[in-house]
Amino acid sequence: MFLIKLYLKNSKLEFFNFFKKLFMGILINFVKQWIAGENLEEAIERSKKLNEKGIGVILNFLGEELKDKKSVEETVEEYFRMIELLKKENINGYLSVKLTQLGLNIDEKYCFENLKKIAWKCFKNSKMLWIDMESSDYTQKTIDIYLKIFRLYKNVGLCIQSYLKRSENDVKRLLKKRGIIRLVKGAYKESEKVVFKKKEEINKNFLKIMKILFKRSKNYFAIATHDEKLIKEAIKLSKKYKKNFEFEMLFGVRERLKPLILKQGFKLKVYVPYGKDWIPYVLRRIREKPSYLIFAFKSIFI
Ligand SMILES: Cc1cc2nc3c(=O)[nH]c(=O)nc-3n(C[C@H](O)[C@H](O)[C@H](O)COP(=O)(O)OP(=O)(O)OC[C@H]3O[C@@H](n4cnc5c(N)ncnc54)[C@H](O)[C@@H]3O)c2cc1C
């Protein structure tokens, strides 16, 4: 009797483990449409393939809201390794960091020192460094830190979100300092006190800010969207104002649109995130395209 019970218990466990493995396998496959892998070497291989197609890359090591110095220091080391490998493998690519992965939640000065180390190494290796924009809790601090680092290193750019009501003024202020801007719509869950909630309002503000960039920017800038209407508007503006700009898109999103942009002779970079800490990033991608989740569930259970 005891042996039968033990056998049933073990087979239940095996059954459970089998389904756990199957579920995790499907989940990882689902996630891998948006991330280049779990380590830098995988991201570099993906970057080489994108470069072969004429697409530049912007590598990001996944991780945000870090609360302990050990994780922050490991992240800084990872970015150092990234710069070295980009150089060694002759990759057409830059970096993008989040300030909360460099210690913004621990101490602002500490975060700035970490950013400075990365910006210096990028500068030495002729690499551009982008700073991602996170939730509105960090907007002011991120802009302040950007302006401070930009005084030291001119190879640093900042992401600005068109869903934020304040962004038009921020962009005007940044342009006065010749700041480098990447314009996106914005990906965080925010209150209507600070953001436009309706798609039309976000798009209208994107167009407005994009026009400001084309008219006033004396520096390089990036239009980062997969929205075909806005891309067409950018192309029109680029014919009127001869500016140094590029289009940017996310890894795994709107793959058929990318070659069309290249064909018309525009520069295109793809944001390539990698790492084990992919949950917040993937959740933001799912929020943009919830139908993917239904598709993933169907592929698991049906
Ligand atoms: C290079 C780059 C850097 C970014 N950096 C930041 C940042 O620092 N901070 C920040 O808040 N946001 C950032 N984002 C994300 C951005 O804010 C938007 O959330 C994201 O780009 C989707 O908006 P969209 O402009 O493509 O317009 P949408 O209106 O969302 O989408 C336009 C079209 O693209 C398709 N699409 C959009 N997203 C997906 C998806 N995940 N999967 C499949 N199809 C999709 C839509 O179906 C639609 O047809 C970045 C985006 C890019 C491209």
Side-chain angles (χ1 to χ4, degrees), residues 34 58 98 131-134 159 161 163 182 184-188 199 203 206 224-228 230 248-250 252-254 269-271 284-286 288-289 292:
W34 290 304
I58 302 165
K98 286 187 170 51
I131 299 176
D132 286 350
M133 187 58 86
E134 300 176 69
C159 179
Q161 302 149 323
Y163 68 180
R182 168 211 293 159
V184 303
K185 287 190 186 175
Y188 294 79
K199 269 209 170 250
N203 294 348
F206 193 107
T225 181
H226 315 92
D227 187 325
E228 273 177 80
L230 290 170
E248 292 182 357
M249 293 192 187
L250 298 175
V253 177
R254 306 280 329 247
K269 285 217 166 52
V270 164
Y271 185 98
R284 287 196 289 275
R285 300 293 76 81
I286 291 171
E288 283 154 12
K289 196 84 179 168
Y292 274 125

Side-chain angles (χ1 to χ4, degrees), residues 21-256:
K21 272 190 190 154
L22 182 71
F23 180 80
M24 286 311 285
I26 295 169
L27 184 68
I28 295 291
N29 261 341
F30 171 65
V31 164
K32 277 202 168 167
Q33 65 181 303
W34 290 304
I35 63 161
E38 293 202 332
N39 60 56
L40 178 58
E41 286 66 25
E42 284 176 273
I44 292 285
E45 283 315 305
R46 297 280 192 165
S47 302
K48 282 182 188 164
K49 293 209 170 97
L50 286 162
N51 277 186
E52 279 164 18
K53 293 181 186 162
I55 301 173
V57 295
I58 302 165
L59 291 190
N60 169 256
F61 177 52
L62 290 164
E64 47 202 88
E65 305 269 353
L66 299 185
K67 302 268 178 347
D68 65 288
K69 288 193 173 178
K70 188 171 172 279
S71 316
V72 171
E73 269 131 46
E74 282 166 6
T75 300
V76 174
E77 277 304 315
E78 181 75 10
Y79 280 115
F80 280 5
R81 218 161 69 78
M82 186 190 286
I83 299 165
E84 276 155 23
L85 221 53
L86 282 173
K87 186 88 182 169
K88 186 172 161 236
E89 300 286 343
N90 202 18
I91 305 276
N92 168 16
Y94 309 148
L95 281 70
S96 209
V97 298
K98 286 187 170 51
L99 292 187
T100 67
Q101 67 177 173
L102 301 183
L104 188 60
N105 280 330
I106 300 170
D107 175 52
E108 258 180 77
K109 272 190 191 156
Y110 171 67
C111 171
F112 182 72
E113 286 309 312
N114 287 324
L115 179 69
K116 207 163 89 178
K117 285 183 208 161
I118 298 173
W120 177 83
K121 202 165 168 71
C122 281
F123 176 75
K124 283 271 168 199
N125 288 283
S126 315
K127 291 284 168 207
M128 161 111 196
L129 172 65
W130 283 107
I131 299 176
D132 286 350
M133 187 58 86
E134 300 176 69
S135 77
S136 62
D137 297 340
Y138 304 110
T139 311
Q140 192 56 52
K141 284 182 189 166
T142 306
I143 292 176
D144 293 344
I145 290 179
Y146 173 69
L147 287 171
K148 210 166 137 192
I149 197 82
F150 191 65
R151 262 181 249 136
L152 302 176
Y153 297 107
K154 300 295 177 211
N155 58 320
V156 187
L158 175 68
C159 179
I160 290 286
Q161 302 149 323
S162 78
Y163 68 180
L164 279 187
K165 292 177 180 168
R166 57 175 286 167
S167 285
E168 183 186 343
N169 287 334
D170 289 335
V171 166
K172 287 178 178 163
R173 187 169 155 236
L174 288 161
L175 288 183
K176 277 189 191 147
K177 315 259 178 195
R178 296 176 74 98
I180 302 174
I181 293 169
R182 168 211 293 159
L183 182 61
V184 303
K185 287 190 186 175
Y188 294 79
K189 209 166 186 300
E190 299 282 359
S191 104
E192 62 185 318
K193 275 193 196 145
V194 289
V195 295
F196 297 111
K197 281 279 180 190
K198 290 188 185 143
K199 269 209 170 250
E200 309 84 72
E201 288 177 317
I202 299 168
N203 294 348
K204 200 171 144 203
N205 202 38
F206 193 107
L207 184 60
K208 194 174 185 189
I209 297 175
M210 188 162 77
K211 283 182 178 163
I212 296 173
L213 285 174
F214 273 100
K215 278 185 198 163
R216 298 194 195 172
S217 176
K218 293 192 175 72
N219 211 333
Y220 158 80
F221 59 91
I223 303 299
T225 181
H226 315 92
D227 187 325
E228 273 177 80
K229 273 193 188 160
L230 290 170
I231 291 172
K232 276 186 191 149
E233 290 295 337
I235 292 175
K236 269 194 224 159
L237 287 164
S238 74
K239 294 198 170 128
K240 191 166 173 198
Y241 306 94
K242 304 280 173 220
K243 291 292 164 93
N244 183 13
F245 81 105
E246 68 185 19
F247 286 109
E248 292 182 357
M249 293 192 187
L250 298 175
F251 181 80
V253 177
R254 306 280 329 247
E255 291 305 325
R256 272 179 280 177

